[in-house]
């Protein structure tokens, strides 16, 4: 049975990453933006914060949803998520970021978001055909 969803959400753990990269807010922002572009996503904005002397947290807002990250350089660890809608493949972002962070190992889970059957079930009106980008009225 194929489930129809509005989006795909990948939660990722990156292990044994390059600690210098993980503590560099400029590099992390560049790498996250590169990862979004690798999936052919449309970047709307990005915001990153450096928790001196430690890690970096940030988000890349894309027209198709978002990519986020938090790093713990002291542990060589980063947690990231890639939430995309439409035809954007979040695994393209995941793969490039894994390479850029020089992660030796990663673990990931994909979660379907916006199951259309549930959206219709709980709706208080007839929604018609549900797509990630409704046609203009």
């Amino acid at each position: 049975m194929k489930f129809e969803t509005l989006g795909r959400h990948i939660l990722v753990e990156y292990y044994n990453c390059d600690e210098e990269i993980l503590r560099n807010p400029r590099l992390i922002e560049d790498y996250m933006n590169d990862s979004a572009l690798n999936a052919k996503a449309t970047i709307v904005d990005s915001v990153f914060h450096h928790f001196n002397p430690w890690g970096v947290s940030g988000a890349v807002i894309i027209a198709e949803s978002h990519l986020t990250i938090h790093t713990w350089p002291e542990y060589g660890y980063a947690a990231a998520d890639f939430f995309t809608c439409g035809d954007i493949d979040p695994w393209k972002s995941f793969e490039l970021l894994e390479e850029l962070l020089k992660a030796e190992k990663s673990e990931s889970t994909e979660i379907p978001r916006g199951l259309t059957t549930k959206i219709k079930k709980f709706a208080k009106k007839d929604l018609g055909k549900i797509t990630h980008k409704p046609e203009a009225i």
Side-chain angles (χ1 to χ4, degrees), residues 7-26:
R8 300 167 68 188
H9 198 164
I10 301 174
L11 305 177
V12 180
E13 316 280 322
Y14 292 114
Y15 300 100
N16 300 321
C17 302
D18 182 306
E19 293 179 19
E20 291 307 309
I21 292 171
L22 295 183
R23 70 172 42 96
N24 185 325
R26 184 78 225 139

Side-chain angles (χ1 to χ4, degrees), residues 38-122:
N38 196 54
K40 298 188 179 7
T42 305
I43 297 172
V44 175
D45 198 5
S46 64
V47 177
F48 284 76
H49 179 76
H50 184 213
F51 295 96
N52 196 22
W54 301 107
V56 177
S57 281
V60 177
I61 307 306
I62 58 176
E64 304 83 6
S65 199
H66 70 269
L67 286 67
T68 62
I69 190 168
H70 187 77
T71 71
W72 285 264
E74 67 273 29
Y75 305 126
Y77 169 78
D81 73 309
F82 307 94
F83 186 1
T84 64
C85 299
D87 297 329
I88 303 301
D89 181 358
W91 292 104
K92 299 288 185 193
S93 296
F94 157 81
E95 291 163 0
L96 180 60
L97 190 60
E98 182 174 48
E99 180 183 321
L100 293 171
L101 296 178
K102 300 180 182 174
E104 290 180 8
K105 181 170 177 53
S106 67
E107 294 180 324
S108 58
T109 302
E110 182 172 346
I111 301 167
R113 302 298 302 268
L115 289 169
T116 57
T117 54
K118 284 191 177 184
I119 292 170
K120 284 183 176 186
K121 177 181 177 179
F122 298 124

